Amino acid sequence: MAIREILKYPHPVLRETAEPVTVFDDELKTLVADMAETMYEAPGVGLAANQIGVARQVVVIDITPKEEPKELIVLINPRITKGEGSEIDEEGCLSVVDLCANVTRYAKIWVEAQDATGAPLAFEAEGYYARVIQHEVDHLHGHLFLDWISSLKRSLYKKKRKKQLQAEQKKADAAA
Ligand SMILES: [Zn+2]
C-alpha cells in the first residue's frame, strides 16, 4: 500500500472520463488499497481514481465518523440509475483546495456498481451518503463540484440582472 499524490484543480486528468474496469486483478486490488490509504490520510470521505491520476472507474468512500471503526465502501464502475428529490448542502473536495460551497444533489439515489472482486452491487443511498457518491461519480465523468457552483452563481446573477433591468424599466415607464 502506498499513499498517492492527490492531484489538484486544474490538473487535466480531473477532466478525463474514466474508463470502465474490466479486469479484477491484483493490480486493481493495489489501486483500491492505495486509494483507501490516501483517502484516510488526507483525510477525506471519498476519493475517485482520477484524483490520483488514474482515469479508471474506481471510487472509495468512508463516511463513518472518526471515532467509529472504519467502513470502507469500494465502488467499481458505479452508475446512478435513478435519482429522487433534491438537497442543498456544503461540499468540498480534496482536489479543489480552499473552497466549500453549496451544491444541489439528489436526496436519494439508486446505484449499480461492482465490488473489488467484480461482484455486482445494487443499492439505494440517501442524504450525506448519496451526496458523497454523486460527488465521486461526477469525478469519473470529469466533473468537479465547482462546475455546479459556477452555474448556480451564473443563474443567480442572471436573476439579479433581470430584476435590475425590470426596476430600470419600471422607473423609465414611471417617468414617461
Ligand atoms: Zn472531489
Side-chain angles (χ1 to χ4, degrees):
M1 296 217 296
I3 291 168
R4 308 269 197 109
E5 187 198 349
I6 298 175
L7 303 172
K8 308 289 195 300
Y9 175 85
H11 196 290
V13 78
L14 296 171
R15 293 308 192 181
E16 279 179 32
T17 302
E19 294 290 327
V21 172
T22 53
V23 181
F24 294 80
D25 57 2
D26 285 347
E27 194 204 325
L28 179 68
K29 282 193 192 98
T30 303
L31 174 65
V32 167
D34 286 358
M35 285 174 62
E37 200 181 354
T38 304
M39 172 184 75
Y40 287 124
E41 206 267 342
V45 294
L47 193 73
N50 307 46
Q51 292 178 275
I52 58 161
V54 180
R56 292 168 74 191
Q57 294 184 18
V58 181
V59 159
V60 293
I61 292 171
D62 192 340
I63 58 161
T64 51
K66 264 183 212 142
E67 55 278 10
E68 287 175 31
K70 288 181 174 115
E71 211 174 300
L72 181 69
I73 293 148
V74 179
L75 301 177
I76 312 292
N77 303 326
R79 286 195 311 127
I80 295 163
T81 56
K82 196 180 141 194
E84 204 178 80
S86 77
E87 264 175 15
I88 300 169
D89 207 349
E90 205 168 65
E91 280 183 33
C93 178
L94 295 172
S95 294
V96 183
V97 287
D98 299 329
L99 182 68
C100 277
N102 285 335
V103 181
T104 304
R105 300 283 190 188
Y106 288 125
K108 183 178 179 182
I109 53 170
W110 282 257
V111 182
E112 286 179 13
Q114 284 163 282
D115 69 13
T117 68
L121 301 170
F123 61 95
E124 294 164 24
E126 287 182 87
Y128 184 58
Y129 183 32
R131 173 171 298 274
V132 174
I133 294 171
Q134 289 169 85
H135 178 114
E136 299 310 330
V137 170
D138 268 359
H139 275 297
L140 302 181
H141 296 284
H143 290 303
L144 297 169
F145 83 107
L146 53 84
D147 299 346
W148 316 137
I149 290 159
S150 51
S151 80
L152 182 65
K153 275 183 183 165
R154 202 162 44 236
S155 79
L156 282 175
Y157 176 75
K158 271 185 195 167
K159 256 184 219 165
K160 193 178 152 189
R161 182 68 185 141
K162 203 176 167 186
K163 270 186 193 164
Q164 214 175 22
L165 290 170
Q166 278 170 346
E168 278 174 23
Q169 189 60 49
K170 236 180 216 174
K171 235 185 200 177
D173 286 347

